[in-house]
């Protein structure tokens, strides 16, 4: 039997071409599609398979949107778990680590720990009134970070105890692989849900922009592509990249116009503890109120308009669409480099013609981070509703102290009369 330590020592000196092969994915295309498209060339067959499955996924996505915010959160969680599974599985196959003691169990244990931490933070932020009514949850929320740390520390100690002589390097390879995968999947999916709570429009426009760019870039590249864009992904072309950019900006601008007209999409998602339901009812902010804008002189001659009516959010949609089409694809290029490093075509064979779930969401995670940073930097202001929920959790004497301080401040500002009694 080959000494595992020696094999891993040699692995450090190998070139990319010497990386162990991962078994190629199987063809999961339904038989009915294979028969219907049997007379087409491989290029057109792939076109039709991708197109049909894309329409099916978009239809399913619209159905989940109709079912509401909670179902969208479950969808994000499901995608996160599947992406994690696909990346971890590649690590197991590449480094032949199936026989490492405890490691498969530890990988999923760490996923559970990190999800417990992030979703617990979400519960503490957005479900304060619900938690206040349940004593057991109050304990879990109060000591949430300590419990999360204790859970992670347990996994860390189990990993150290599982270290086996001659397997050390391989075990640390997989330990690092697991943590990088957690960073890519769990952290980003948490940000997606945070964006959703700001209003469904902050969830739908970025995700739809990435989908639109993926589709239009593929179409432009398929029909007009001549000039290679990047060596990491030989099928990407400049024609597809540029065509996708302009199409995505136009799509985002128009799509935002329709979404901004409905409270269901623009209001922050909040939990109503009385009805035990998520609600999206509010007075729309200035971002979603129609305003008049002057058309730049250069465009006046082309459009023939001096003023236009539009929602302020539509201007922000241009920034989101631009990132989705110019920077978002680099998430895909990164994934392409990763797959080339391990000599695989796709992360998995979950979706015929598309590959794995990670193949479809490699750009979405990068987009989620940008949207969260964008909202924090340019959009989000003080949130009275969230502040009130936090005040309701305080002890009566603490609430009274806050009340007296606020009253004194308002009197100094001249908003309240000194004689006013509360």
């Amino acid at each position: 039997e080959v000494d595992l330590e020696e094999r891993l020592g040699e692995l450090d000196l190998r070139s990319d071409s010497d990386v162990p092969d991962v078994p190629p994915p199987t063809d999961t295309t339904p038989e009915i599609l294979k028969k219907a498209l049997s007379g087409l060339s491989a290029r057109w067959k792939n076109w039709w398979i991708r197109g049909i499955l894309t329409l099916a996924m978009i239809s399913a996505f619209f159905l989940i949107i109709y079912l509401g915010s909670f179902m969208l959160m479950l969808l994000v969680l499901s995608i996160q778990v599947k992406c994690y599974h696909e990346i971890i599985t590649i690590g197991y196959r590449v480094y032949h680590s199936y026989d490492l003691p405890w490691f498969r169990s530890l990988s999923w244990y760490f996923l559970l720990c990190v999800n417990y931490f992030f979703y617990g933070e979400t519960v503490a932020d957005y479900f304060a009134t619900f938690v206040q009514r349940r004593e057991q949850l109050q304990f879990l929320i109060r000591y949430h970070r300590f419990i999360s740390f204790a859970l992670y520390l347990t996994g860390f100690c189990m990993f150290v105890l599982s270290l086996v002589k001659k397997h050390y390097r391989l075990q640390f390879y997989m330990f690092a692989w697991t943590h990088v995968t957690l960073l890519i999947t769990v952290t980003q999916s948490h940000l997606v849900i945070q964006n959703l709570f700001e209003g469904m429009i902050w969830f739908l426009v970025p995700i739809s922009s990435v989908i639109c760019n993926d589709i239009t870039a593929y179409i432009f590249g398929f029909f007009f592509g001549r000039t290679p864009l990047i060596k990491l992904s030989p099928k990407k072309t400049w024609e597809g990249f540029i065509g996708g950019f302009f199409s995505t900006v136009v799509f985002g601008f128009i799509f935002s116009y329709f979404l901004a007209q409905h409270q269901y999409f623009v209001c922050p998602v909040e939990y109503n503890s009385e009805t035990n339901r998520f609600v999206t009812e509010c007075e729309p902010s200035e971002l979603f109120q129609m305003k008049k804008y002057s058309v730049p002189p250069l465009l006046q001659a082309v459009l023939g308009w001096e003023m236009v009516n539009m929602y302020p959010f539509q201007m922000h949609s241009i920034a989101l669409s631009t990132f989705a089409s110019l920077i978002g694809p680099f998430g895909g290029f990164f994934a392409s480099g990763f797959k080339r490093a391990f000599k695989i075509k796709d992360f998995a064979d979950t979706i015929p013609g598309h590959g794995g779930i990670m193949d479809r969401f490699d750009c979405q995670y990068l987009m989620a981070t940008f949207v969260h940073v964008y909202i924090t930097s340019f959009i989000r202001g003080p949130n009275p509703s969230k502040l009130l929920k936090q005040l309701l959790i305080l002890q009566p004497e603490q609430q009274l102290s806050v009340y007296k301080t606020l009253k004194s401040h308002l009197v100094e500002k001249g908003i309240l009369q000194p004689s006013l009694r509360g």
Side-chain angles (χ1 to χ4, degrees):
E1 184 179 351
V2 179
D3 189 293
L4 184 58
E5 185 71 12
E6 291 180 2
R7 182 170 62 81
L8 288 170
E10 294 172 359
L11 185 62
D12 291 340
L13 302 177
R14 291 176 179 176
S15 64
D16 286 348
S17 61
D18 295 323
V19 172
D21 285 321
V22 175
T26 57
D27 185 5
T28 57
T29 305
E31 288 298 326
I32 187 171
L33 273 181
K34 289 182 180 179
K35 292 179 180 179
L37 304 174
S38 59
L40 299 176
S41 65
R43 185 168 182 259
W44 279 101
K45 185 183 296 183
N46 184 62
W47 159 270
W48 279 105
I49 292 173
R50 285 177 66 97
I52 293 170
L53 269 296
T54 296
L55 291 175
M57 288 188 289
I58 292 175
S59 300
F61 184 54
F62 279 126
L63 175 61
I64 294 173
I65 293 171
Y66 173 77
L67 294 175
S69 305
F70 183 70
M71 294 304 296
L72 284 172
M73 294 177 199
L74 289 181
L75 174 66
V76 172
L77 177 61
S78 302
I79 291 172
Q80 172 221 114
V81 172
K82 181 57 179 170
C83 289
Y84 181 83
H85 171 258
E86 290 178 359
I87 299 175
I88 287 294
T89 299
I90 292 172
Y92 289 145
R93 290 175 175 176
V94 168
Y95 293 112
H96 306 293
S97 55
Y98 286 102
D99 297 328
L100 287 181
W102 298 3
F103 217 90
R104 288 180 67 85
S105 299
L106 278 176
S107 295
W108 290 101
Y109 176 81
F110 282 126
L111 177 67
L112 180 65
C113 290
V114 178
N115 269 307
Y116 176 81
F117 170 74
F118 280 121
Y119 281 93
E121 294 287 304
T122 299
V123 170
D125 284 344
Y126 296 99
F127 299 83
T129 53
F130 175 79
V131 171
Q132 189 181 14
R133 296 180 179 180
R134 288 162 174 78
E135 188 173 343
Q136 300 89 340
L137 291 180
Q138 288 182 28
F139 174 83
L140 292 176
I141 293 301
R142 183 175 181 180
Y143 300 105
H144 171 67
R145 296 191 177 184
F146 181 81
I147 295 172
S148 300
F149 178 70
L151 289 172
Y152 177 81
L153 201 59
T154 301
F156 179 83
C157 293
M158 290 174 65
F159 166 73
V160 173
L161 293 174
S162 73
L163 291 173
V164 179
K165 186 178 180 181
K166 296 186 178 182
H167 290 205
Y168 294 150
R169 189 178 303 180
L170 175 57
Q171 289 179 288
F172 278 102
Y173 278 158
M174 293 308 301
F175 184 77
W177 188 290
T178 298
H179 281 67
V180 171
T181 306
L182 289 170
L183 178 66
I184 293 173
T185 57
V186 183
T187 305
Q188 306 306 314
S189 64
H190 172 69
L191 296 182
V192 171
I193 292 178
Q194 293 288 306
N195 299 339
L196 176 60
F197 274 107
E198 295 294 327
M200 204 176 291
I201 196 169
W202 290 104
F203 174 85
L204 294 177
V205 170
I207 285 181
S208 299
S209 295
V210 172
I211 294 172
C212 174
N213 183 71
D214 191 33
I215 294 172
T216 55
Y218 178 76
I219 292 174
F220 276 95
F222 186 87
F223 288 105
F224 309 109
R226 296 292 183 273
T227 313
L229 175 64
I230 186 170
K231 290 183 178 180
L232 279 174
S233 191
K235 293 184 179 180
K236 306 292 185 184
T237 63
W238 275 104
E239 291 81 3
F241 187 74
I242 296 171
F245 165 68
F246 285 107
S247 302
T248 303
V249 171
V250 172
F251 166 81
F253 193 82
I254 296 173
F255 190 49
S256 298
Y257 173 79
F258 288 105
L259 293 183
Q261 300 177 43
H262 304 282
Q263 281 191 3
Y264 181 73
F265 297 114
V266 304
C267 290
V269 177
E270 296 182 350
Y271 179 77
N272 188 322
S273 58
E274 295 180 357
T275 61
N276 287 328
R277 295 178 59 188
F278 289 100
V279 295
T280 50
E281 298 175 357
C282 68
E283 181 66 30
S285 67
E286 293 185 356
L287 278 178
F288 308 107
Q289 295 179 10
M290 189 73 76
K291 293 184 179 180
K292 287 188 176 182
Y293 291 89
S294 299
V295 178
L298 290 176
L299 293 178
Q300 286 183 16
V302 178
L303 301 175
W305 303 331
E306 294 184 359
M307 303 288 292
V308 292
N309 292 325
M310 57 182 289
Y311 295 100
F313 180 81
Q314 289 179 270
M315 302 299 293
H316 294 290
S317 75
I318 295 176
L320 299 178
S321 299
T322 300
F323 185 92
S325 52
L326 297 185
I327 307 299
F330 280 84
F333 300 153
F334 176 87
S336 295
F338 178 89
K339 290 183 284 187
R340 278 180 167 272
F342 297 102
K343 298 193 288 186
I344 56 177
K345 182 178 182 294
D346 298 309
F347 282 95
D349 53 11
T350 310
I351 312 171
H354 291 267
I357 298 295
M358 191 65 197
D359 290 287
R360 293 277 58 84
F361 288 89
D362 45 15
C363 300
Q364 295 287 4
Y365 287 126
L366 198 60
M367 189 73 193
T369 305
F370 171 74
V371 174
H372 184 76
V373 172
Y374 189 88
I375 292 173
T376 304
S377 303
F378 304 112
I379 304 298
R380 183 184 294 160
N383 189 332
S385 177
K386 189 173 181 180
L387 180 60
L388 181 61
K389 290 178 181 178
Q390 293 174 335
L391 286 174
L392 292 175
I393 300 176
L394 299 177
Q395 297 297 321
E397 58 273 14
Q398 294 174 315
Q399 294 174 343
L400 186 60
S401 175
V402 172
Y403 166 75
K404 290 178 179 179
T405 302
L406 180 60
K407 178 182 175 182
S408 175
H409 175 74
L410 294 176
V411 169
E412 290 178 5
K413 290 282 188 178
I415 299 173
L416 291 179
Q417 298 297 322
S419 59
L420 180 66
R421 295 193 178 189

